């Protein structure tokens, strides 16, 4: 969703800001803009469309200035157009602001300002905030920073924002509540961004603003951070672990393909230091203090959205099966509003790649208020969810840039497997031999994923046959049912083909009515306890002339005789089947989307990090 970049220092701001916006493109957006400040002038340029469009738009215009802010907007209030794009000017055009989040009481503030003859240009909540800041600054005769602080005490809602003014050309103000902001500290220069990706090329020293904090960053290299209640805070400077290479495509045509191919490495990174096969040990340091709590929990509630929710479903099977703990998997957006029964002994596991998903964050706060223990599984280090949870484990998949989640999904499942195994062993619900066998299998997964990737050409050829299909059905059973959901989600997200995932046996209660020779049906039919049952489901599809693409275990003969197309994956234990069977589905979606000319990394209307509910 919306992206923020800001710069103050001695260099030209424009190239830094534009490069930063390009780095943030992965978040998903529909318009872009930039404000540049010289000693006496504040220029704003903005337009609907991509950052490249903004670059064309500024050709021939004055882009000088060593202070500036820039934004990519994902529309919430008001359609995506030039006027609603950020930055927004204040009435006098002395102040410019960029903002992520939503000001919930903007209409009442706007009404009051309208009564005093203020004239608004856009439909946004952000412009109201710019006007309010100016109104306070003028009426109370205070500094820009103080005006921002007072204004923020009047607004209800969420914000990550940056403000500059031509009356104060030597400082920029950044503030946060519910929408992340990172400050990069360089040599007599500062960077501000909604995540660390625009900053990493310049400095490793960063400060993550906490909720209700605001920072004043000055051109002379000094800065202060206070709360909006005017209390000084001591900034905690952290070192970024991210490297630039991880943010580039590294020779791949798209981030998504690069990230699919990274999975042998990213799964290995998720396991690193946590799995020791020789010593038959699993140890997730982040939850060590909570092991007993989880072990004795009467119930685990998993909250997540999107792909992370699918990983949560796999987690349900793992925890129930291995550790014998009842699990409920909840869409965070539903959970937060339906007055759920949460008890003090419940353990809530929140899963999120970005660590910023608004609904998941709200679900955590709700569960926390009821006294439950909250464990996080996040990919982005230092993210809001990672900080809101009592304990947790990072997935260590590395930055995921493609909007469609791939390596984060397999990393989340890897962590859930480790967690379930650790708890199962502590609880004694698993025999030593089964535990050891699973550890060995888990250790072998990265190499097996590599073997699936080697079938890329085969899968690409298959994609060519199905690229014009209008609908797809995905079927799985047991551990591979969530994989069917994930396969369908991948396809619709990036190729815009309608696709549904279903439990294979449930098909006969509805979707079977859709099956004819035009309906491709992807069935995950790998070896496992439900194999024979899935074969029967394949028979049912075949009897109705469905076009079957089956994912099978290497050496399979039975399904090969029935299905028109098969993709083989190496044999593994059924508990780990999702880690292998999802790979061909990711590749299939990828190739179909490319062949249909879709923007794979930035699919229409989607955002990487959904910071509004
Ligand atoms: C968005 C992304 C999905 C992601 C979901 C949850 O919809 O496009 O890829 O699965 O949000 O995000 P999270 O960061 O919480 O895993």
């Amino acid at each position: 969703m919306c992206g923020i970049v800001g710069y103050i220092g001695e260099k030209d701001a424009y190239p830094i800001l534009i490069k930063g916006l390009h780095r943030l493109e992965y978040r998903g957006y529909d318009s872009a803009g930039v404000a540049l400040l010289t000693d006496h002038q504040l220029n704003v340029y903005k337009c609907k469309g991509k950052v490249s469009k903004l670059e064309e738009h500024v050709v021939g215009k004055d882009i000088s200035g060593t202070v500036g802010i820039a934004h990519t907007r994902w529309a919430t209030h008001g359609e995506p157009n030039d006027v609603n794009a950020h930055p927004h000017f204040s009435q006098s055009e002395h102040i410019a602001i960029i903002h992520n989040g939503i000001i919930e009481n903007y209409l009442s503030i706007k009404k009051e300002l309208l009564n005093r003859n203020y004239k608004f240009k856009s439909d946004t909540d952000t412009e109201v905030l710019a006007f309010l800041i100016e109104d306070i600054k003028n009426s109370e005769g205070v500094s820009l920073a103080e005006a921002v602080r007072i204004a923020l005490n009047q607004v209800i809602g969420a914000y990550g924002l940056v403000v500059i003014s031509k009356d104060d050309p030597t400082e920029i103000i950044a503030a946060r509540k519910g929408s992340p902001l990172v400050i990069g500290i360089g040599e007599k220069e500062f960077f501000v961004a909604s995540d660390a990706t625009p900053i990493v090329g310049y400095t490793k020293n960063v400060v993550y603003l906490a909720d209700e904090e605001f920072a004043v960053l000055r051109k002379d290299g000094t800065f202060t951070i206070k709360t909006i209640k005017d209390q000084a805070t001591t900034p905690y400077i952290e070192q970024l672990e991210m490297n630039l290479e991880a943010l580039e495509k590294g020779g791949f045509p798209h981030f998504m393909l690069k990230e699919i191919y990274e999975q042998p490495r990213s799964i290995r990174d998720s396991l690193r230091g946590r799995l020791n096969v020789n010593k038959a040990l699993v140890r997730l340091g982040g939850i060590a203090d909570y092991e007993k709590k989880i072990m004795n929990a009467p119930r685990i509630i998993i909250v997540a959205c999107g792909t992370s929710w699918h990983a949560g479903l796999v987690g349900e099977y793992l925890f129930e099966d291995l550790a014998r703990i009842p699990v409920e998997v909840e869409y965070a957006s539903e959970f937060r509003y339906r007055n759920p029964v949460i008890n003090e002994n419940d353990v809530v596991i929140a899963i999120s790649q970005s660590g910023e998903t608004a609904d998941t964050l709200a679900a955590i706060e709700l569960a926390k208020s009821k006294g439950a223990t909250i464990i996080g599984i996040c990919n982005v280090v230092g993210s809001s969810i990672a900080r809101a949870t009592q304990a947790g484990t990072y997935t260590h998949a590395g930055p995921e840039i493609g909007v469609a989640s791939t390596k984060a999904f397999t990393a989340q499942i890897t962590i859930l497997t480790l967690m379930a195994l650790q708890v199962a062993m502590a609880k004694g619900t698993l025999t030593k031999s089964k535990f050891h066998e699973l550890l060995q299998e888990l250790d072998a997964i990265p190499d097996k994923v590599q073997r699936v990737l080697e079938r890329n050409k085969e899968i690409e050829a298959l994609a060519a046959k199905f690229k014009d299909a209008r609908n797809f059905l995905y079927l799985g059973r047991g551990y591979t049912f969530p994989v069917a959901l994930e396969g369908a989600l991948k396809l619709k997200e990036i190729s815009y083909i309608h696709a549904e995932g279903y439990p294979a046996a449930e098909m006969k209660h509805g979707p079977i009515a859709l099956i004819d020779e035009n309906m491709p049906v992807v069935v995950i039919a790998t070896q496992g306890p439900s194999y024979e049952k899935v074969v029967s489901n394949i028979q049912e599809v075949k009897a109705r002339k469905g076009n079957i693409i089956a994912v099978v275990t290497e050496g399979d003969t039975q399904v090969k005789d029935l299905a028109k197309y098969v993709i083989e994956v190496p044999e593994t234990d059924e508990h780990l089947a999702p880690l292998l069977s999802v790979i061909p589905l990711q590749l299939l979606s990828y190739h179909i989307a490319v062949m249909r000319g879709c923007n794979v990394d930035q699919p229409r209307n989607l955002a990487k990090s959904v910071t509004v509910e």
Side-chain angles (χ1 to χ4, degrees), residues 305-308 351-355 357 403 405 412 493 607-608 610:
C305 304
T307 290
S308 299
I351 309 175
S352 175
Q353 186 288 126
S354 62
T357 304
V403 164
S405 185
Q412 289 163 343
E493 277 179 317
K608 183 70 188 159
V610 180

Side-chain angles (χ1 to χ4, degrees), residues 126-191:
T126 305
E127 190 186 22
V128 175
L129 192 53
F131 279 45
L132 177 66
I133 292 168
E134 181 165 275
D135 185 69
I136 293 169
K137 189 169 184 286
N138 294 343
S139 60
E140 304 203 10
V142 291
S143 67
L144 177 67
E146 185 58 7
V148 171
R149 192 188 72 75
I150 297 170
L152 293 181
N153 277 287
Q154 294 180 19
V155 303
I156 300 169
Y159 51 80
L161 55 88
V162 192
V163 185
I164 53 176
S165 162
K166 73 174 174 188
D167 301 327
D168 306 80
T170 57
E171 63 184 35
I172 66 180
I173 320 290
R176 152 194 177 139
K177 183 180 173 194
S179 198
L181 269 192
V182 194
I183 296 168
I185 303 169
E187 281 288 313
K188 271 195 135 187
E189 60 183 357
F190 295 103
F191 307 82

Side-chain angles (χ1 to χ4, degrees), residues 17 29 72 134 235 267 291-292 328 370 378 381 395 421 452 485 514 522 526 569 579 603:
L17 297 173
Y29 68 103
T72 46
E134 181 165 275
I267 296 174
E291 194 181 284
K292 280 217 163 57
E328 282 167 27
K370 307 273 181 197
C378 292
V381 177
T395 45
L421 282 169
V452 184
L485 295 183
L514 302 171
V522 178
T526 47
V569 297
L579 292 169

Side-chain angles (χ1 to χ4, degrees), residues 572-603:
T572 190
D573 189 283
E574 62 147 344
H575 299 91
L576 309 177
L579 292 169
L580 298 184
S581 50
V582 76
I583 311 289
L585 308 192
Q586 295 170 342
L587 285 169
L588 185 66
S589 309
Y590 170 78
H591 289 300
I592 289 178
V594 171
M595 287 168 193
R596 289 167 70 95
C598 299
N599 186 344
V600 172
D601 284 335
Q602 292 159 40

